[in-house]
Structure formats: C-alpha cells, structure tokens
Amino acid sequence: MKTAILGAGLTGITLARLLHEKGDEVTVLEREPGYGGLCRSMMESGFTFDIGGSHIIFSRDAQVLDFMRDVLGRNSKQNKRNTKIFYKGLLIKYPFENGLDQLPKDDLYFCISEFIKTLIAVEKLELSPPSNFCEWIHYTFGKGIADLYMIPYNEKIWKYPVEKMSMHWVDGRIPRPPVEDVIRSAIGIETEGYTHQSVFTYPLKGGIEAMVREIAEPIEESIKTGFTASSVRIEDRNIIISDGSTEIPAERLISTIPLQELLQCLDGVPKNVKRACRELKYNSIACIFLGIKGSVPDISWMYVPEKELGLFNRISFPSNYSPHVAPSGHSSILVEITYREGDKASAMQDRDIIDHVVDALSNMKIIKTKDDVVYSAVMRQKYAYVIYDLEYQKNIAIVKEYCAGIGISLVGRFAEFEYLNMDGCIRNAMNFAESL
Ligand SMILES: Cc1cc2nc3c(=O)[nH]c(=O)nc-3n(C[C@H](O)[C@H](O)[C@H](O)COP(=O)(O)OP(=O)(O)OC[C@H]3O[C@@H](n4cnc5c(N)ncnc54)[C@H](O)[C@@H]3O)c2cc1C
C-alpha cells in the first residue's frame, strides 16, 4: 500500500515507522526544512532548546512510555520533578493544592475553608453540577484555590475566558486531588500530586528532538522536507498531493497537519464545514531561550499565575534536565508566552519580548544580573494549544465527519484537534496502525 502522511511531527514520524514495519510504502511530506514539528530542538552557542516549548517524557500509558524510553536507550536521564508555583514571591509546591501549607496564613485559610464549604455544598446538592470550565474549577477546588491560582493561571495560558471554555477535557489533564491530600497539605504533611509525572525522562543529548530522530531512524529516507502540501485531489481511489510543483500519488492519505491547513488544500469544502473549522480555536506560543552564565534555581519548571509579573505563564530550566544542554559553567531558561492573533504578545517584536522577560526574571530574582544572560533567542509556533471553547464539540464533529467522508484519516494533536501530549500522539498512531 502506498501511503502518504502529511506532516513529519512526532505523529507523522511514528505512523511512518509503524506502517513501514507493516510493509507499507510510506512517504512523509513536511513543510519545514527539518522534521519533528513541535518536538524539534535547536542547538546554538552550546545550548540546546526545545523550540515548541519545554518538553518532558512521561505517561500513564506503560506501553507508550516504554516505547519512548526504549528508543532513547542510553541517551536518557530520569529526573525527579521539582516544580513550583511562583506565588506572591514564594515558591509553592506544585500542584498548588499539595503546597497549601506554604501559603500565607490568610490565603491558606481562604483555600481550605472554601474547599470544605464546597464539599459540603456538593454533598447537600446545594451546588449545581458545573457546565463550563470556570464552574468546574470552583466545583472541584472551591473559591479559594480557584481565585488564587486556578483561574489566573488558566486565563494566562489559554488566553480565553474560562467561563467560555468547555470542561469535557479536564479528566486526567488537570490534577484532581483526593480530599485527604488537600487536608494533609494544609496542615503541612507532605503529599504528592499528579504522580505519573513526578519522575520524568529527558534525552541526555539533543533535546526532545533526539527521541523523534530515533523513531525516524528506519524511515528517514521516506521523509520529504520542504514540501508544503497545498492541494489534495481525490480521484476515484487515487489521491494526488501537490505542493504546486511536485505531485505525489498515494493510495492512502493520513493527515497529521492542523485541520486549518488541511482544509486549505481541499477543493469543494462545503461552507458549513469551512465555518466550523474557522470556529475551532487555538493559541500560539513564543518561546524565549536564555543562556545563563552560572547557575539557575534547582527547579524543573515553574508556573507563574500573576499577571503583574509578566506575560509568561511558565518558566523551565532545561539545564536541570540534562547537563549536556548548556556549556560548562552555564545553565539555561526557557520561558513560554502563549498568545492569540491580535493580542499584545502577538504584536511584540522579539527584542522587546526578550527585554520584557529578562527584566521580569531579574525582578523575580531568578537571574542574578542581566549581564549573566549570554544568549537569547525567540521562536514562535502558530499552533500550540487547542482551546476547548463551548462550541468545540459541535464544530469538531462537523469537520471530522467531512474528512472521514472523503477518506482522509486524521491523527495527531492538531489533525484531531485534541489536547494530545506526546504519549497521546504515539498512542493514537499505534491504534491507527493496528486498526488497518
Ligand atoms: C508548549 C508545549 C509544551 C509541551 N510539552 C509537552 C511535554 O512536556 N510532554 C509531552 O508529552 N507533550 C508536550 N507537548 C505536546 C507535544 O508537543 C505534541 O503532542 C506533539 O509534538 C504533537 O505532534 P504532532 O506530530 O501531532 O503535531 P506537530 O508537531 O504540530 O506536527 C505537524 C507537522 O505538520 C507540518 N505541516 C503543517 N502544515 C503542513 C503542510 N501544509 N504541508 C506539510 N507539512 C505541514 C508542520 O510543519 C509540523 O511538522 C507540548 C506542547 C506544547 C505546545
């Protein structure tokens, strides 16, 4: 079977390998000069940064976790998560509800009393079940944790009002603490949350792209980079993919590229499908890479809910994941700013973004002096996070039904338009290959 795969991110590469193992003749078509998509890494001035934001390897799915760790073999390091929330100048243990005893006393009281009041109200059926993400946060954590952390943080990352977001996706993605753990944490007994991520793997050398490279090894020659699919014609049982100059024929087509990009390649898409696709929401990301002379705090990554501190929502410290991603005597910081077209961050020049971040990190005392910054760069990714708004389920169903009807299979984060982490992409690629 001649199979064409659109997009050579982690999903496209994994699918290509699995289908190749099944005997397919596979071609992977990729727009960029290199493959890996959001899982690419760049090396410059002795530093290695993950260009799609800081990536770590973890999963609840044992088979997928083994696959990811096995392909890396000896090029991997296990790290114990040491993640914090920067709150009123304090470093609170992550998840927030596991670090309650570190809060100022008034805030601790607010969180725990509202948590208990909410539990009682739910028990007495005085609180209606939630119907959107904002209500889910209140219903699950109470007003204290909601107002002090969950709502400000989620508004910062999604760039979308939480009351206009759906809640169907939260299970398994947002840590949901047992009541006992919240009480323990409030009185200072150590607890761990989100435990399947408390130990994570990271490549020793090459950044997260090292994993994609290992997966790609048996099919590397089948990847055609610099090929922007611009038209897909389906004629009887033949599929012709073109970039405007070269035509690639295939018997089967799997798309791992964003739905918005795929639909642009197709003729005759009905208006209602185009409209539904336009209504699917996502945000973009600017990743700011800083090389630092000397050391950084011994933290894996840090969430920053407070708007006043800066535009960024997360700060990671990749040189704490592997000693090989920064030159000797140096360390590294990766700062993430999500944005949507037309907002403040989307309009900022790279130089202004770097200045904004460096100023903020020195105010937060994460870097000692600005002179310690020996390297800086910014990379942007248009498609970073799927936003699950209240219309999402209706719109995605219309687009998926149309693609299925014309025989295009969709696998991957922006092809399925789902909040899939690397493990989810690999799982869906495995399931797809098995289903054939
Ligand atoms: C900030 C951030 C942090 C993350 N951290 C983690 C983490 O710690 N752990 C984890 O497990 N997951 C993490 N993820 C998720 C992970 O990055 C994704 O699940 C995964 O990379 C998605 O792979 P994909 O192949 O489905 O999509 P993509 O990587 O988006 O690949 C799609 C490919 O299609 C190509 N393409 C687009 N249009 C065309 C066209 N017209 N023609 C040809 N090619 C085209 C693109 O160039 C790209 O290479 C994170 C994601 C983000 C945004």
Side-chain angles (χ1 to χ4, degrees):
M1 174 70 93
K2 263 192 177 178
T3 299
I5 299 174
L6 300 184
L10 174 67
T11 308
I13 295 294
T14 308
L15 269 170
R17 177 182 170 129
L18 298 173
L19 296 179
H20 165 79
E21 284 167 2
K22 288 186 103 172
D24 272 20
E25 193 187 314
V26 187
T27 308
V28 193
L29 303 168
E30 168 58 49
R31 177 177 61 188
E32 298 293 327
Y35 64 83
L38 284 169
C39 295
R40 277 168 296 157
S41 306
M42 66 172 224
M43 292 179 206
E44 227 173 70
S45 307
F47 293 97
T48 304
F49 287 102
D50 295 339
I51 68 157
S54 174
H55 278 65
I56 57 160
I57 297 168
F58 68 98
S59 185
R60 283 194 182 94
D61 184 329
Q63 187 192 2
V64 171
L65 188 59
D66 285 349
F67 174 82
M68 294 193 280
R69 287 181 175 163
D70 287 352
V71 291
L72 277 174
R74 288 155 64 96
N75 183 27
S76 70
K77 181 170 178 278
Q78 302 271 91
N79 292 289
K80 196 167 175 303
R81 182 186 71 200
N82 178 22
T83 294
K84 304 290 182 192
I85 294 151
F86 195 95
Y87 177 80
K88 295 189 176 170
L90 300 166
L91 293 176
I92 307 295
K93 183 176 177 169
Y94 169 84
F96 193 74
E97 56 279 6
N98 292 81
L100 293 178
D101 67 311
Q102 296 173 291
L103 293 176
K105 285 277 179 276
D106 283 352
D107 291 346
L108 167 60
Y109 171 73
F110 182 39
C111 289
I112 199 70
S113 62
E114 292 297 327
F115 181 73
I116 291 168
K117 277 190 221 161
T118 306
L119 282 180
I120 295 169
V122 170
E123 196 71 20
K124 288 179 161 176
L125 303 177
E126 287 168 2
L127 205 58
S128 321
S131 63
N132 62 48
F133 184 38
C134 182
E135 288 177 8
W136 179 86
I137 291 173
H138 279 96
Y139 192 87
T140 310
F141 297 97
K143 185 171 163 53
I145 297 175
D147 285 359
L148 300 188
Y149 171 62
M150 288 298 288
I151 304 249
Y153 181 74
N154 278 288
E155 285 187 346
K156 222 177 183 190
I157 184 170
W158 299 111
K159 299 289 180 300
Y160 203 75
V162 281
E163 63 280 6
K164 292 191 177 162
M165 285 179 72
S166 143
M167 48 168 246
H168 74 277
W169 57 279
V170 294
D171 266 347
R173 291 200 178 83
I174 298 188
R176 204 173 169 174
V179 175
E180 298 76 16
D181 278 12
V182 177
I183 295 167
R184 276 202 190 95
S185 121
I187 58 175
I189 300 174
E190 190 83 1
T191 52
E192 281 303 325
Y194 215 39
T195 47
H196 65 291
Q197 194 205 52
S198 56
V199 173
F200 65 90
T201 303
Y202 192 74
L204 268 173
K205 291 186 179 168
I208 200 64
E209 187 177 315
M211 186 179 83
V212 189
R213 290 202 162 272
E214 289 300 333
I215 299 173
E217 206 266 327
I219 47 96
E220 205 157 17
E221 285 177 5
S222 317
I223 307 170
K224 196 169 168 51
T225 53
F227 185 104
T228 303
S230 59
S231 99
V232 173
R233 296 196 317 274
I234 302 169
E235 294 166 356
D236 300 324
R237 306 198 67 200
N238 294 316
I239 301 161
I240 317 282
I241 304 121
S242 168
D243 67 347
S245 55
T246 310
E247 295 205 328
I248 308 280
E251 295 158 279
R252 177 192 289 139
L253 176 64
I254 309 165
S255 173
T256 76
I257 68 176
L259 283 174
Q260 289 82 349
E261 305 290 322
L262 174 68
L263 258 61
Q264 281 179 32
C265 301
L266 304 172
D267 279 337
V269 179
K271 269 193 187 147
N272 69 318
V273 178
K274 280 189 182 163
R275 195 183 317 114
C277 187
R278 254 198 324 271
E279 287 298 315
L280 291 172
K281 299 186 178 58
Y282 60 90
N283 65 23
S284 308
I285 194 164
C287 297
I288 299 90
F289 310 136
L290 301 178
I292 305 292
K293 193 168 67 186
S295 61
V296 287
D298 181 23
I299 290 173
S300 311
W301 66 91
M302 181 191 282
Y303 297 100
V304 186
E306 288 166 57
K307 282 198 182 77
E308 301 70 32
L309 291 175
L311 292 167
F312 41 86
N313 56 288
R314 189 165 77 138
I315 305 170
S316 307
F317 301 93
S319 54
N320 292 338
Y321 305 172
S322 160
H324 298 289
V325 299
S328 151
H330 293 75
S331 41
S332 59
I333 305 181
L334 197 170
V335 178
E336 293 166 14
I337 299 177
T338 52
Y339 62 89
R340 297 193 67 211
E341 220 34 65
D343 70 15
K344 184 175 170 187
S346 77
M348 278 170 85
Q349 300 294 314
D350 287 356
R351 191 63 253 169
D352 296 333
I353 291 197
I354 291 171
D355 289 346
H356 167 79
V357 165
V358 170
D359 281 346
L361 296 195
S362 8
N363 291 339
M364 292 163 76
K365 307 216 176 342
I366 290 170
I367 48 179
K368 290 178 202 91
T369 105
K370 293 183 194 174
D371 296 338
D372 287 346
V373 180
V374 296
Y375 172 85
S376 60
V378 179
M379 294 282 278
R380 295 170 194 253
Q381 304 299 328
K382 181 173 176 185
Y383 299 95
Y385 292 100
V386 168
I387 298 174
Y388 289 116
D389 69 340
L390 293 172
E391 305 299 309
Y392 167 85
Q393 283 169 302
K394 182 189 79 191
N395 290 323
I396 193 68
I398 295 171
V399 181
K400 281 187 172 169
E401 192 186 322
Y402 173 72
C403 292
I406 57 170
I408 300 179
S409 305
L410 307 171
V411 191
R413 182 164 168 118
F414 284 100
E416 294 177 69
F417 222 76
E418 289 284 356
Y419 186 167
L420 295 176
N421 274 329
M422 296 187 294
D423 60 341
C425 293
I426 294 174
R427 165 51 57 206
N428 290 3
M430 285 175 169
N431 289 350
F432 182 86
E434 272 164 28
S435 73
L436 296 176

